[in-house]
């Protein structure tokens, strides 16, 4: 209440004072000044009075212009105060000002006098001295201010103080007020200052006190600060956690208690709930005051019930039923499953996309003139109705299709490449695809800027649409320059050798797309941005490729479980882009209770700067089988060369020295024959096709491999092994992927040489048949000692079917469901595809910041006697650097 009384009082004082000034106009006459100087400064004679006049006019005085004849008569005379007063009366002035300026060197002295024409008061003198003629303007302003205060009976503000503020700085308050030391004491300014202080929002009370002194007014702003928020409490919320609600608030603990801000934050909370369709919720607040000028702010939320979509109503649809149109929308009406699903939820963004889907559906089914209106949303306390108006218009069939303009191939050949002519009804989506198809054809022939415009001619009588693709091919375009940027590590030539387009060659859209795909397949870059810029002329183009590199070094580790190894661990350190040359260096180790393996490998993908890959491998492998120990050391060299798109041929020579020791009585007979040192010298030829878009979690493409290994180029061991493997990745819907994988193999023993059991086939584990023990699927045979033992198969078949689906799409977490089947067979057995072993299961795959991760659970569908029932977990995980 105090603050309002103070405001009223100041307003009344200002009203009376301003009224008194308005009733009386003050006329002022300013005479030319006398200039005393050895220099030629006669221009100050009139300039000084003019400056004073301007300042007085700004303060509300009526400045009179002196009579030139009268000015001339006064020149050079020593005039008394009475004569000055008489001149002022004759001129109609209330006040008359005159004076002189004296300049000696850099020093100046202003001597100004003012006299009132009414009364007998002596002239008032204003004297000011200074240094430098450049400072004269400031001195004149100061004298003019003093003169104005005398003329208008005003007072100067001598001092300004601020009291009562503890947290808010004094300077912050001074910045918002007009009253300052040296200014004119003004009731209006004080009223505005009080309003400005309240507008800061930091004060419960503010008032102004002033004190008269001989030198002027002393003004004191006395304020009382609002409380600060000690704690923000939230009650009544169930839908959102406290932290979620605090996340939308822009008022924090320690803030000044500002009621305007509190109301805005109430609206923020309401907005958060309305996004979830809680339209009948309410938010109230309470202030709990404490000592030390502190308070707790409590938001009390009444959430109410969620408003779900009750009805989606279509108006104007005739060709398609409302149920048909609703199936096209992701927005749906509520149903009995709404409590566990999103059915009935209103998402404005999804609804806008649904409107676009409906319009596209009509346009893709011949309704070329169809219009779908903005949805009308009627929100009630506990339900929502949505009305969508549709103007279908007539349905048009496809009529005549032509291609005219600059044809680089016969019209008939070009029409074969487009699909719109095969449609019964006009389809805008197919038409857009045809434009892209024709654009690609022309782009691949070098016409990168070809302009293809489909002309649509509607025949309303026949209800058909005639379509004419008008082509303007422009000039053939050449790549003038290829610029590569962003590669701080990877060398330019590593990137350029993956490109199928070259500088000064004709533009090819197909080759450019394949080039970018090749760069993605390197897996060196997080992002690849491609821009095509106009070159130095219309027939030249600059290709700009900017890459964002990602870590290509990796430290990986994994773990698994098998009936042989029990728990085992794997680790590797590798660099897939060594020194930025694209070379691969890897050191791997596998440590288990019965097996230790170390491998060092190196690969140069472009030997002699041609796409000939070359590399070597060195290894040491100690394996403690159930019935014998094997200690192998060896290595190999390998080469690969591309023979067709996505296809490479590989050749590998390997040399292995194996020492077989600690042979037990129940070992296979083939192992007993190999006691001691054994040498294997082999060569492997493989043909591999790989069009996958990614190595881990691919979404499309295929991978096929056929390999033949011949061992027996000297040494004790001799066999021929054939492996055939195929995999297909098929994009399905909503980011899901289906994959089919099959693998089979056959091995035969060379005459007069040995085929050890470890070169035969076994299945089981995370990379073959999940749910089974690691490599536990194997033919069994009684050895010469009468003991049943695993001998490995000479052939096998394996099939894996997977369905991958996004779990957390933003970070690339995928779920997987799988069905595995297959088996291993001995020499005297035939493959029986109707009686394969089977398992099912699921898991999670994630290309995590630590690298590829797989966690999968397999369950055996057809366990046999003495085989563990139930399921088995296996996992692998890695990290990148």
């Amino acid at each position: 209440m105090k603050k309002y009384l103070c405001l009223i009082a100041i307003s009344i004082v200002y009203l009376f004072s301003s009224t008194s000034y308005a009733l009386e106009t003050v006329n002022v006459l300013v005479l030319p000044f006398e200039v005393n100087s050895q220099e030629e400064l006669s221009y100050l004679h009139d300039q000084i009075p003019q400056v004073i006049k301007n300042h007085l006019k700004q303060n509300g005085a009526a400045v009179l212009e002196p009579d030139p004849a009268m000015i001339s008569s006064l020149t050079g005379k020593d005039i008394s105060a009475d004569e000055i007063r008489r001149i002022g009366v004759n001129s109609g002035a209330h006040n008359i000002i005159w004076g002189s300026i004296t300049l000696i060197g850099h020093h100046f002295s202003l001597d100004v006098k003012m006299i009132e024409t009414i009364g007998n008061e002596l002239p008032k003198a204003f004297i000011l001295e200074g240094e430098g003629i450049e400072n004269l303007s400031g001195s004149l302003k100061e004298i003019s201010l003093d003169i104005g205060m005398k003329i208008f009976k005003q007072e100067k503000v001598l001092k300004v103080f601020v009291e009562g503020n503890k947290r808010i700085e004094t300077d912050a308050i001074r910045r918002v007020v007009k009253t300052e030391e040296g200014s004119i004491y003004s009731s209006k300014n004080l009223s505005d200052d009080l309003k400005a202080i309240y507008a800061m929002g930091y004060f419960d009370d503010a008032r102004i006190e002033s004190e008269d002194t001989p030198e002027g007014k002393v003004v004191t702003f006395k304020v009382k600060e609002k409380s600060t928020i000690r704690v923000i409490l939230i009650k009544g919320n169930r839908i959102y956690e406290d932290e979620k609600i605090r996340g939308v608030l822009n008022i924090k603990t320690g803030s000044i208690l500002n009621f305007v801000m509190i109301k805005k934050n109430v609206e923020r909370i309401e907005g958060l709930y309305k996004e979830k369709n809680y339209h009948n919720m309410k938010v109230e607040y309470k202030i709990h005051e404490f000592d030390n000028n502190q308070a707790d702010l409590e938001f009390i939320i009444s959430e109410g019930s969620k408003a779900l979509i009750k009805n989606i109503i279509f108006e104007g649809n005739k060709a398609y039923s409302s149920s048909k149109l609703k199936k096209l929308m992701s927005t749906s009406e509520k149903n009995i499953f709404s409590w566990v699903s999103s059915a009935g939820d209103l998402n404005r963004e999804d609804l806008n996309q649904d409107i676009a889907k409906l319009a596209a559906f009509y346009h893709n089914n011949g309704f070329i003139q169809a219009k779908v209106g903005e949805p009308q949303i009627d929100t009630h306390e506990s339900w929502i109705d949505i009305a969508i108006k549709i103007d279908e218009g007539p349905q048009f069939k496809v009529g005549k299709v032509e291609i005219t303009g600059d044809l680089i191939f016969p019209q008939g050949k070009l029409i074969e490449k487009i699909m719109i002519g095969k449609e019964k009804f006009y389809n805008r989506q197919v038409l857009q695809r045809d434009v892209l198809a024709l654009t690609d054809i022309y782009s691949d022939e070098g016409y990168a800027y070809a302009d293809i415009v489909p002309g649509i001619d509607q025949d309303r009588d026949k209800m058909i649409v005639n379509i004419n693709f008008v082509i303007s091919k422009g000039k053939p375009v050449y790549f003038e320059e290829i610029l590569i940027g962003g590669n701080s590590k990877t060398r330019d030539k590593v990137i350029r050798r993956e490109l199928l387009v070259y500088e000064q060659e004709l533009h090819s859209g197909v080759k450019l797309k394949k080039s970018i795909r090749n760069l993605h397949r390197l897996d060196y870059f997080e992002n690849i941005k491609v821009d095509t810029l106009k070159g130095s002329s219309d027939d030249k183009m600059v290709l700009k490729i900017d890459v964002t590199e990602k870590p290509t070094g990796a430290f990986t580790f994994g773990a698994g479980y098998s009936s042989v190894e029990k728990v085992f661990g794997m680790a590797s350190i590798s660099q897939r882009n060594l020194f930025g040359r694209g070379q691969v260096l890897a050191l791997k180790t596998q440590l288990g209770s019965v097996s230790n393996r170390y491998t060092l490998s190196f690969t140069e993908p472009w030997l002699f700067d041609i796409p000939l890959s070359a590399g070597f491998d060195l290894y040491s492998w100690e394996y403690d089988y159930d019935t014998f120990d094997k200690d192998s050391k060896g290595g190999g060299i390998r080469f690969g060369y591309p023979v067709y798109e996505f296809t490479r041929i590989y050749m590998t020579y390997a040399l292995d020295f194996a020492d077989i020791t600690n042979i037990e009585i129940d070992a296979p007979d083939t192992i007993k024959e190999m006691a001691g040192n054994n040498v294997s010298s082999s060569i492997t030829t493989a043909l591999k096709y790989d069009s996958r878009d990614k190595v881990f979690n691919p979404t499309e493409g295929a991978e096929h491999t056929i390999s033949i290994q011949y061992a027996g180029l000297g040494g004790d061991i001799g066999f021929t092994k054939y492996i055939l493997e195929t995999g297909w990745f098929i994009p399905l819907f909503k980011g899901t992927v289906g994959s089919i994988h099959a693998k089979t193999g056959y091995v035969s023993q060379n005459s007069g040489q040995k085929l050890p059991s470890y070169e035969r086939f076994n299945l089981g584990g995370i990379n073959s048949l999940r749910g089974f023990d690691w490599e536990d699927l194997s033919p069994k045979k009684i050895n010469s000692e009468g003991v049943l033992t695993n001998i490995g198969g000479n052939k096998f078949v394996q099939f894996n079917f997977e369905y991958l689906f996004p779990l957390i799409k933003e970070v690339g977490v995928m779920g997987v469901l799988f069905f595995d089947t297959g088996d291993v067979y001995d020499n005297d057995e035939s493959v029986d595809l109707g009686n394969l072993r089977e398992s099912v299961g699921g898991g999670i795959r994630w290309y995590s910041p630590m690298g590829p991760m797989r966690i999968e659970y397999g369950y055996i569908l057809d366990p046999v006697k003495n085989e563990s029932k139930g399921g088995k977990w296996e996992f692998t995980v890695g990290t990148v650097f």
Side-chain angles (χ1 to χ4, degrees):
M1 189 67 182
K2 250 197 255 181
K3 63 182 180 182
Y4 296 114
L5 291 173
C6 186
L7 280 172
I8 293 170
I10 290 175
S11 299
I12 292 172
V13 171
Y14 170 69
L15 179 63
F16 280 100
S17 60
S18 60
T19 303
S20 64
Y21 295 151
L23 291 174
E24 182 180 358
T25 301
V26 179
N27 296 332
V28 179
L29 179 64
V30 183
L31 300 178
F33 270 49
E34 181 182 347
V35 179
N36 302 310
S37 173
Q38 293 180 350
E39 300 179 37
E40 176 51 43
L41 298 173
S42 59
Y43 64 91
L44 297 176
H45 178 75
D46 296 315
Q47 193 175 74
I48 291 174
Q50 187 60 46
V51 172
I52 295 173
K53 290 177 187 179
N54 292 339
H55 284 299
L56 293 176
K57 284 180 182 179
Q58 290 175 4
N59 290 327
V63 178
L64 305 178
E65 292 299 328
D67 181 19
M70 180 266 294
I71 295 299
S72 179
S73 67
L74 295 176
T75 303
K77 293 182 179 181
D78 187 13
I79 308 172
S80 66
D82 290 336
E83 288 179 290
I84 291 292
R85 184 179 280 115
R86 178 174 49 77
I87 291 170
V89 171
N90 293 338
S91 301
H94 299 117
N95 298 83
I96 187 166
I97 299 168
W98 76 102
S100 65
I101 180 170
T102 301
L103 296 103
I104 301 174
H106 290 288
H107 184 80
F108 67 83
S109 175
L110 270 172
D111 183 6
V112 184
K113 296 183 176 62
M114 184 193 75
I115 193 170
E116 293 184 8
T117 57
I118 300 173
N120 295 314
E121 289 188 9
L122 295 174
K124 297 180 176 62
F126 305 90
I127 299 172
L128 193 63
E129 295 183 356
E131 295 293 330
I133 193 71
E134 67 275 6
N135 297 317
L136 179 60
S137 177
S139 299
L140 287 171
K141 180 179 179 181
E142 185 178 341
I143 283 182
S144 299
L145 180 63
D146 291 340
I147 292 172
M149 292 176 64
K150 293 295 182 182
I151 291 175
F152 296 109
K153 306 297 189 289
Q154 294 172 329
E155 293 183 86
K156 182 187 288 188
V157 176
L158 180 64
K159 294 286 184 181
V160 176
F161 296 104
V162 178
E163 295 180 359
N165 55 310
K166 297 177 181 178
R167 296 182 305 272
I168 308 304
E169 293 181 355
T170 298
D171 286 345
I173 300 172
R174 287 181 180 273
R175 280 195 293 270
V176 303
V177 300
K178 297 177 182 178
T179 302
E180 58 185 10
E181 294 174 2
S183 65
I184 296 173
Y185 182 83
S186 166
S187 300
K188 179 181 182 305
N189 285 348
L190 289 173
S191 177
D192 292 341
D193 291 343
L194 204 58
K195 294 175 183 177
I197 291 172
Y198 274 111
M200 294 177 74
Y202 301 140
F203 305 105
D204 272 334
D205 188 26
R207 55 194 176 89
I208 302 171
E209 293 182 358
S210 63
E211 179 185 352
D212 292 322
T213 69
E215 293 82 10
K217 292 278 192 179
V218 175
V219 176
T220 303
F221 294 97
K222 295 192 174 183
V223 297
K224 181 185 177 184
E225 292 178 337
K226 289 183 176 179
S227 301
T228 54
I229 299 174
R230 190 184 70 165
V231 178
I232 298 176
L233 304 171
I234 300 172
K235 291 188 178 180
N237 52 308
R238 294 176 298 105
I239 305 303
Y240 291 108
E241 298 288 338
D242 287 4
E243 290 307 311
K244 178 67 175 178
I245 296 174
R246 286 194 174 95
V248 302
L249 303 178
N250 62 1
I251 189 170
K252 307 295 180 184
T253 56
S255 301
I256 300 296
L257 198 62
N258 186 315
F259 291 97
V260 174
M261 290 295 295
I262 292 174
K263 289 179 181 178
K264 288 181 178 179
N265 279 269
V266 166
E267 294 172 0
R268 283 173 173 261
I269 297 173
E270 291 173 345
L272 180 67
Y273 273 85
K274 287 177 181 178
E275 287 179 2
K276 286 283 189 181
N277 298 311
Y278 286 84
H279 295 282
N280 57 345
M281 63 87 61
K282 293 180 181 178
V283 181
E284 297 178 337
Y285 67 89
K286 287 184 179 178
I287 306 295
H288 304 283
E289 296 281 355
F290 292 93
D291 295 335
N292 300 322
N293 211 25
Q294 290 185 321
D296 287 353
L297 171 60
E298 181 181 19
F299 290 104
I300 304 167
I301 301 172
S302 301
E303 293 179 332
S305 59
K306 186 176 185 178
L308 298 176
I309 300 170
K310 183 178 181 181
N311 299 300
I312 298 177
I313 304 164
F314 293 97
E315 301 175 12
N317 56 309
K318 298 176 183 177
Y320 301 103
S321 65
S322 295
S323 60
K324 169 71 175 177
L325 297 178
K326 288 176 185 178
K327 289 178 181 178
L328 300 173
M329 303 172 63
S330 57
T331 305
S332 63
E333 296 168 337
K334 68 177 182 180
N335 54 42
I336 58 174
F337 300 107
S338 293
W339 64 282
V340 292
S341 70
S342 60
D345 285 350
L346 174 59
N347 183 304
R348 301 301 177 106
E349 185 176 342
D350 288 346
L351 182 57
N352 291 335
Q353 292 178 357
D354 287 336
I355 298 303
K357 287 180 189 176
L358 292 171
F361 173 75
Y362 273 96
H363 295 158
N364 294 336
N365 285 277
F367 294 91
I368 193 171
Q369 299 174 354
K371 297 178 182 177
V372 180
E374 289 291 324
Q376 301 299 313
I377 302 171
D378 189 8
T379 302
H380 304 274
E381 284 193 359
S382 58
W383 81 91
I384 300 169
D385 290 335
I386 299 175
I388 302 172
K389 292 184 179 180
I390 298 176
D391 181 5
E392 293 181 335
Q395 189 177 31
F396 288 82
K397 294 182 178 180
V398 175
K400 186 178 180 181
V401 178
E402 293 181 300
I403 301 177
T404 61
D406 299 330
L407 305 185
I408 59 174
F409 296 112
Q411 181 179 169
K413 185 177 180 180
L414 290 174
I415 287 180
E416 290 177 0
K417 303 293 183 181
I418 61 178
M419 304 302 296
I420 190 65
K422 300 177 178 63
E423 296 288 321
K424 180 179 180 181
F425 294 102
Y426 171 81
N427 188 313
R428 187 176 66 178
Q429 186 177 34
V430 172
L431 185 68
Q432 291 170 342
R433 290 175 183 168
D434 287 343
V435 170
L436 293 176
L438 290 173
T439 301
D440 287 343
I441 291 171
Y442 274 74
S443 174
D444 203 36
E445 295 298 322
Y447 299 98
Y449 302 130
D451 187 22
I452 300 172
V453 180
I456 310 298
D457 181 20
Q458 302 177 29
D459 189 334
R460 296 179 180 274
D461 296 330
K462 296 181 180 180
M463 299 300 293
I464 61 173
V465 174
N466 297 315
I467 302 169
N468 180 20
F469 294 91
V470 181
I471 301 177
S472 176
K473 66 181 182 181
K475 296 179 180 179
V477 177
Y478 295 82
F479 287 112
E480 180 179 18
E481 191 176 6
I482 298 176
L483 304 176
I484 298 173
N487 52 319
S488 59
K489 175 184 176 183
T490 307
R491 304 194 178 198
D492 271 17
K493 79 171 187 177
V494 172
I495 297 174
R496 288 182 182 274
R497 68 194 185 192
E498 298 297 329
L499 303 181
L500 302 178
V501 295
Y502 306 98
E503 293 172 337
Q504 309 309 319
E505 287 196 359
L506 199 63
H507 177 277
S508 171
V510 171
K511 289 182 179 179
L512 180 57
K513 290 179 182 178
K514 290 180 179 179
S515 299
I516 303 309
R517 181 196 57 207
N518 289 346
L519 292 179
H520 280 289
R521 284 167 57 84
L522 285 176
D523 199 28
Y524 297 164
F525 312 112
E526 286 184 359
N527 185 42
I528 301 172
K529 183 181 179 182
V530 180
D531 286 326
T532 51
L533 311 173
K534 289 220 172 180
S536 58
S537 59
D538 291 342
D539 63 343
K540 293 181 180 179
M541 173 186 287
V542 175
L543 176 61
K544 192 169 184 290
I545 300 175
D546 285 309
V547 298
T548 303
E549 293 179 315
K550 68 179 181 181
T552 53
F555 171 71
T556 62
F557 67 91
Y561 176 87
S562 75
S563 60
V564 177
E565 286 276 9
K566 302 304 180 183
V567 177
F568 65 91
M570 298 171 288
S572 71
I573 183 169
S574 64
Q575 174 55 257
R576 295 183 293 104
N577 188 14
L578 188 65
F579 306 124
R581 297 174 180 271
Q583 298 166 337
V584 182
L585 181 66
L587 175 63
K588 301 178 182 178
T589 182
Q590 177 176 317
L591 303 175
S593 59
V594 296
S595 173
N596 296 321
R597 183 169 184 170
Y598 307 90
T599 305
L600 174 66
S601 63
F602 173 80
T603 302
E604 166 56 69
W606 281 66
L607 188 64
F608 310 126
D609 284 331
I610 61 174
L612 171 65
S613 65
F616 67 83
D617 302 281
L618 300 173
Y619 64 85
S620 174
W621 187 8
E622 300 172 0
Y623 203 108
D624 182 10
Y625 290 91
D626 286 341
T627 58
F628 66 96
D629 292 344
K630 173 175 171 281
D631 184 358
S632 292
K633 291 179 175 58
I637 56 173
R638 47 191 159 75
F639 299 91
Y641 194 81
V643 294
Y644 195 68
E645 186 177 16
F646 303 125
T647 308
R648 295 179 72 92
I649 189 169
Y650 297 91
M651 186 168 290
T652 304
Y653 172 76
L655 183 63
D656 178 84
F657 299 91
D659 185 18
I660 306 298
T661 59
N662 299 325
I663 301 173
E664 297 183 6
I665 192 173
D666 54 351
D669 291 336
T670 55
I671 294 298
K672 292 180 179 181
E673 297 170 359
M674 297 177 61
N677 293 320
N678 298 268
V679 178
S680 172
S681 177
S682 67
I683 188 167
T684 303
T685 302
L687 187 67
K688 183 174 183 179
Y689 172 92
D690 187 358
S691 64
R692 295 173 298 168
D693 59 343
K694 293 182 292 185
V695 175
F696 187 75
N697 282 349
T699 60
E700 61 181 349
E703 181 184 20
H704 316 304
T705 304
I706 182 170
S707 68
I708 302 173
Q709 181 184 4
Y710 178 80
L713 303 173
D716 310 289
I717 296 172
F719 59 86
T720 306
K721 184 183 291 186
Y722 305 88
I723 301 288
L724 178 64
E725 185 173 9
T726 182
W728 303 80
F729 301 91
I730 307 160
L732 299 174
F733 54 88
K734 293 187 176 180
T736 64
V737 178
S739 78
I740 302 171
H741 174 259
K743 187 176 182 180
T744 186
Y746 174 80
V747 63
S748 64
Q749 184 174 349
N750 294 347
S751 177
Q753 293 180 304
K754 304 171 185 176
L755 174 59
S757 61
Y758 54 78
E759 290 290 357
R760 293 166 70 88
F761 300 118
N762 301 278
L763 292 178
I766 195 169
N767 293 320
S768 57
L769 267 64
R770 288 155 284 194
F772 292 90
D773 286 334
W774 186 266
E775 296 188 346
D776 196 47
L777 288 177
S778 171
K780 295 174 174 57
K781 189 175 182 178
I782 297 175
N783 68 5
S784 57
E785 304 294 335
V787 179
L788 185 66
T789 183
N790 288 350
I791 61 170
N794 79 317
K795 50 188 170 288
F796 77 98
V797 291
Q798 171 190 333
F799 300 95
N800 308 96
F801 302 90
E802 295 185 341
Y803 175 67
L804 289 96
F805 51 93
L807 289 177
I808 308 176
K809 192 172 183 179
E810 296 76 13
V811 295
V813 178
M814 301 289 289
V816 59
L817 301 175
F818 62 80
F819 170 73
D820 296 339
T821 183
D823 211 342
V824 188
Y825 306 91
D826 199 3
N827 302 43
D828 55 353
E829 294 178 309
S830 299
V831 175
D832 183 4
L833 295 179
N835 191 30
L836 301 177
R837 303 301 307 278
E838 299 175 345
S839 66
V840 296
I844 296 173
R845 294 179 186 175
W846 178 31
Y847 204 117
S848 71
M850 297 189 304
M853 182 176 71
R854 292 173 62 188
I855 302 175
E856 295 174 9
Y857 179 86
Y859 181 85
I860 301 174
L861 293 177
D862 54 351
V864 297
K865 187 178 180 180
N866 298 324
E867 191 171 56
S868 60
K869 296 181 175 60
K872 190 177 299 296
W873 284 102
E874 292 182 282
F875 74 92
T876 61
V877 68
T879 184
V880 299
F881 65 86

